[in-house]
Each structure stands twice: as structure tokens, then as C-alpha cells.
Amino acid sequence: MAGRLPEPVRQARDGIGEAALWMAFAVAATTTFGSLWLSEVEKLPPCHLCWLQRYFMYPQTILLGAAAIGRWLWIRWISIPMVLIGAGISTYHYILERFPDDVASSCDKEVPCTTVWIWKYHFLSIPGMAWLAFLTIAVLLVMARPRDAVAVTPGDSLGQPIGAEQT
């Protein structure tokens, strides 16, 4: 059927949907705290591209915290474009780390964007972790649903609140 989500996707959306704003807030807050920890406690200086990623992540903590408290699903129209731009910067930064070239010469000589401070599991660096955070927030925002969302089941034209018993 056109326009219908596959059953496993619908179940995941319905199960995570009500908590998705809080989960997105938790990802943004953890990422913000992690980047501050790396720069202020571990003394790893952020490069220019790291700062750009921070510009798109830090406001998410405030936006998504307020959205989770107020159940403001409309915030996704502000938040999703920001996280997609941040993910794009993270992608570029990750590629630049993996394949440094003459473009990297335009970076700051003291803190070049090609410096790899963390390398875990043979693929995960700081921009890679930022990319995962941006992508996770975007997916959670797409999955976010109102508290009393109506799930329409086949043969039920009116639907019932999710979790309600059918009579």
C-alpha cells in the first residue's frame, strides 16, 4: 500500500515517538558536554571546523530542552535544518581528516583541521562522533510524535490513542 510505513518502522516510531524529543535533547546535551570536556578538561584545541559544528550543536541543547518540556513538535522545522548543516560540516571534516590535501593548508597552522585527536574502532573520530549525534537527532525529530498520537489500524477508520485497548 502506498503511503504506509512498514510494520517494524511504524512500531519503532510509535514506541519511540513520545520520548523522541527528550532523547534528542539527551543526545544534544551529551554531545555539548563531550565537546566541552575535550576542549576544557582534556585540553584538545578545537579546529575551525570543530567550532562550526559546535555552532550548530550547542543551540540544539537549548532548543530541544525547551521543546521537550513544552512538547513543541514544531521545533523540528528549526532544528532539522540546523542538524543537517552540522552533519554536512562533520562529513566534510571527517573526509578532510581521512584524506588531507591542499585544502587543509587553508586551515589554521596551529590547530589544523586534519589533526586526528581521537581514533576509536578504526573509523570513529571527533567529527565522526559529531556526525552520528547530528544524524541521531535528525532521526529522532522525524520520529517525534504528540503525547496522545492516534494510531490507525486496518479496519479502524477513527483510530485510538496509542496503547488504548480496542472495544
Side-chain angles (χ1 to χ4, degrees), residues 110-150:
E110 292 179 26
V111 186
C113 297
T114 56
T115 301
V116 179
W117 295 105
I118 294 175
W119 188 245
K120 297 286 185 186
Y121 314 112
H122 299 290
F123 78 96
L124 197 55
S125 64
I126 293 173
M129 288 185 269
W131 181 84
L132 285 171
F134 282 123
L135 184 66
T136 301
I137 291 170
V139 168
L140 287 169
L141 288 173
V142 168
M143 294 177 74
R145 296 174 53 89
R147 182 164 287 129
D148 296 316
V150 174

Side-chain angles (χ1 to χ4, degrees), residues 19 30 47 50-52 68 75 78 108 127 130 138 153 161-162:
T30 301
C47 69
C50 287
W51 276 112
L52 290 177
I75 206 77
I78 297 168
D108 184 2
T153 57
I162 295 173

